[in-house]
Amino acid sequence: MELKLDDGLPLVQADSKQLQQVFINLITNAVDAIKTKGRITIETYTESANRGEAKYVVVAISDTGTGITPEDLPKIFNPFFTRKAEGTGLGLPITQRILHQHSGIIDVESKLGFGTTFYMKLPVPNYDK
């Protein structure tokens, strides 16, 4: 596991228990995607708007696992969709719902055979002020 954490991030307003569930879901998926040996990277940074002010605090969780097929990528946030033998298909839909409840965004990039990155974006308060 590799951490690339920005020490100077602005504060965001969020329920810590719900964000804990988001991190558990995404890190569990990353671990499951790595079949034998691999790397999970957690990176934090800000995403700025045109004026250069921080608009979002971003947490990116990447793995060097199997990746998600292009056919499955549009389905991963659908309830009960899973390719795991023992999965419920609820982890990513719950993760997406929690982030939306916090006015946040979740994006994903994946390359089959190379890995996946999930980007959780939480708004910085008072952005428009």
Side-chain angles (χ1 to χ4, degrees):
M1 182 168 271
E2 182 178 2
L3 299 176
K4 298 178 180 178
L5 307 178
D6 182 344
D7 290 333
L9 294 176
L11 295 176
V12 296
Q13 295 177 345
D15 181 307
S16 63
K17 292 293 184 192
Q18 287 185 334
L19 288 187
Q20 180 181 17
Q21 184 63 53
V22 166
F23 293 133
I24 289 169
N25 289 345
L26 293 178
I27 292 169
T28 298
N29 284 352
V31 169
D32 290 347
I34 297 171
K35 298 300 179 197
T36 55
K37 184 177 178 183
R39 173 174 297 195
I40 297 171
T41 303
I42 301 173
E43 183 176 4
T44 60
Y45 54 92
T46 58
E47 185 176 277
S48 299
N50 296 338
R51 298 182 299 227
E53 295 178 30
K55 182 177 182 181
Y56 292 103
V57 168
V58 180
V59 179
I61 298 179
S62 303
D63 66 66
T64 58
T66 56
I68 302 167
T69 67
E71 298 81 30
D72 286 349
L73 208 50
K75 304 173 191 172
I76 62 171
F77 294 109
N78 294 345
F80 307 110
F81 177 80
T82 185
R83 294 285 182 216
K84 296 179 184 179
E86 296 182 20
T88 64
L90 293 175
L92 288 176
I94 289 170
T95 294
Q96 183 182 51
R97 185 192 51 143
I98 290 169
L99 288 168
H100 286 173
Q101 288 173 341
H102 287 84
S103 300
I105 299 168
I106 185 163
D107 289 326
V108 61
E109 292 178 345
S110 188
K111 187 170 181 183
L112 199 59
F114 291 92
T116 302
T117 301
F118 281 91
Y119 302 92
M120 297 166 288
K121 301 177 182 184
L122 294 168
V124 174
N126 301 319
Y127 172 71
D128 291 325
K129 293 184 181 179

